[in-house]
Amino acid sequence: MPRVLIADDEESMRVLVARAIAMDGHDTVTAEDGAEALDILTREKGAFDLLLTDIQMPVMDGIALALAAARDFPKLKILLMTGYAAQRERASGLNAIVHDVVTKPFSVHDIRTAVADALAAGAKG
């Protein structure tokens, strides 16, 4: 069963995403910000199949988290989420480490499809 780490500062979004992808049998762990997510990744030695993170968060944003996660756990697949066009632009330079950027708002079907696509993708490179 794939393990997915979800980082988003909005509790309602964390719950929605966790419930949506759990419908596909994924084991989910949630974090309130990038720093907490990085602590979880480090403590669990990167034992996740996918990192799904919002870009705009306090403490450590999703781009800083993605860069740190890709550096420390190069096999980890990464999906970003954002509701802001400017944040999407910031992520455009990360194609080498990020599978995709999911635009908010999204439907349950959209996020399940994005997660399935990311998990099915071959090794990043």
Side-chain angles (χ1 to χ4, degrees), residues 70-107:
R71 177 196 67 218
D72 297 345
F73 309 103
K75 293 183 193 278
L76 180 66
K77 293 186 175 109
I78 302 169
L79 260 181
L80 298 177
M81 303 179 284
T82 188
Y84 302 95
Q87 298 297 335
R88 192 174 178 91
E89 302 267 326
R90 283 183 59 212
S92 65
L94 302 176
N95 292 341
I97 64 167
V98 173
H99 177 75
D100 199 4
V101 180
V102 182
T103 302
K104 293 178 181 179
F106 47 73
S107 69

Side-chain angles (χ1 to χ4, degrees), residues 6 8 11 17-20 25 28 37 39 49 70-71 74 89 100 116 122 124:
I6 302 161
D8 197 307
E11 183 180 9
V17 172
R19 285 184 181 160
T28 62
D39 286 347
D49 300 290
R71 177 196 67 218
E89 302 267 326
D100 199 4
K124 292 180 302 195

Side-chain angles (χ1 to χ4, degrees), residues 4 8-9 41 43-44 48-49 68 73 75 91 103 108 113-114 120 123:
V4 180
D8 197 307
D9 58 316
L41 277 172
R43 185 173 61 242
E44 299 204 20
F48 290 89
D49 300 290
F73 309 103
K75 293 183 193 278
T103 302
V108 167
T113 299

Side-chain angles (χ1 to χ4, degrees), residues 21-37:
I21 63 178
M23 292 166 61
D24 294 319
H26 304 317
D27 182 22
T28 62
V29 175
T30 61
E32 293 182 13
D33 58 54
E36 182 184 4

